[in-house]
Amino acid sequence: HREPGLAGAALSRPDVIVQLIVDGVHLAKDTVRLVWGLAAGRVALVTDATALAGQGGSGATLGGAPIEAREGAPRRPGGVLAGSMLTMAEAVRALHALGAPLAEALEAASLVPARVLGAGELGRLDVGLPGDIVVLDDRLEVRRVLVGGRIRVEA
């Protein structure tokens, strides 16, 4: 009780990027709010999505073992958690719904992970930078994906 532990140390150090899977399964909503309150601006949204992401159901495998969607997440036989079904757009929506300003939630999905990779040219739009873009509508649903300036997906 006298030492902060790994999570406490990460939250207290301004030079540490904190990664969150905001799918409602990996972390409780209050945990996400707590982390955001302590580490906004250095939170990177991540997803450990499996083949079930965006589709649910069953019929997928992970490491050769069958997985199926149960209790909001992919699970192996016996109920062991096997990743998530979280897409990045869903992660942005979830973080924003928990109180993060939209611009900051979008940065947690783009600019902050680019910083982790040491790729400052990623995660932002400017002349001469890579121009891959995900276009979201007012409900934060994916409407279009452009890669290298060309439409790859249009909903």
Side-chain angles (χ1 to χ4, degrees):
H1 69 280
R2 290 184 172 86
E3 297 295 328
L6 183 59
L11 291 172
S12 68
R13 294 200 40 174
D15 60 328
V16 174
I17 302 295
V18 180
Q19 299 178 12
L20 298 180
I21 301 172
V22 188
D23 64 353
V25 176
H26 283 78
L27 298 168
K29 291 177 182 180
D30 286 338
T31 301
V32 174
R33 286 187 193 101
L34 173 69
V35 171
W36 183 258
L38 294 169
R42 56 190 183 92
V43 167
L45 290 174
V46 295
T47 174
D48 59 349
T50 65
L52 297 176
Q55 70 178 14
S58 61
T61 61
L62 182 65
I67 56 173
E68 65 179 37
R70 287 198 331 256
E71 301 169 25
R75 301 203 181 255
R76 293 184 178 179
V80 174
L81 188 62
S84 74
M85 299 187 306
L86 184 69
T87 66
M88 191 54 70
E90 291 168 340
V92 168
R93 280 194 301 275
L95 184 59
H96 180 54
L98 291 172
L102 179 57
E104 293 178 40
L106 291 167
E107 287 177 1
S110 57
L111 288 174
V112 177
R115 236 175 32 230
V116 170
L117 296 172
E121 74 281 3
L122 299 179
R124 56 191 184 96
L125 296 175
D126 205 345
V127 175
L129 295 179
D132 299 346
I133 303 168
V134 177
V135 179
L136 305 175
D137 64 17
D138 290 342
R139 294 183 327 250
L140 304 178
E141 297 284 345
V142 175
R143 288 295 154 230
R144 184 176 295 142
V145 176
L146 295 97
V147 177
R150 297 203 166 131
I151 295 174
R152 290 288 174 97
V153 176
E154 188 146 22

